[in-house]
Amino acid sequence: MKKQLTLKQLRENMGLTMEEVAVKTDIPVRCLKYWENVHSGRAEAFSIFKLLHFYGVSHDHVYTGPALQEVSCAATA
């Protein structure tokens, strides 16, 4: 199974802030925050494709489900 990145990981890998992405894509910061932190699958298809085009990736490489919970190794021991 190939590794998929979240929208937040894509943005951070490019070294961009949400504000910079918002200006360049004309997508409000509040929408970006919601999609990165809660559920990117609830975004309009047009907006997601706009972001993917901006980031230069295909939909196959992006996780667009509910926000992933970070689990530390200590929590599983």
Side-chain angles (χ1 to χ4, degrees), residues 31-73:
C31 292
L32 295 171
K33 281 184 183 178
Y34 182 78
W35 299 337
E36 285 189 8
N37 297 311
V38 180
H39 201 306
S40 59
R42 297 195 180 208
E44 299 175 348
F46 176 77
S47 296
I48 286 292
F49 288 121
K50 192 175 190 179
L51 278 175
L52 297 179
H53 179 73
F54 175 73
Y55 292 135
V57 297
S58 77
H59 187 269
D60 294 337
H61 296 98
V62 180
Y63 174 78
T64 56
L68 301 171
Q69 296 288 327
E70 293 290 327
V71 178
S72 70
C73 293

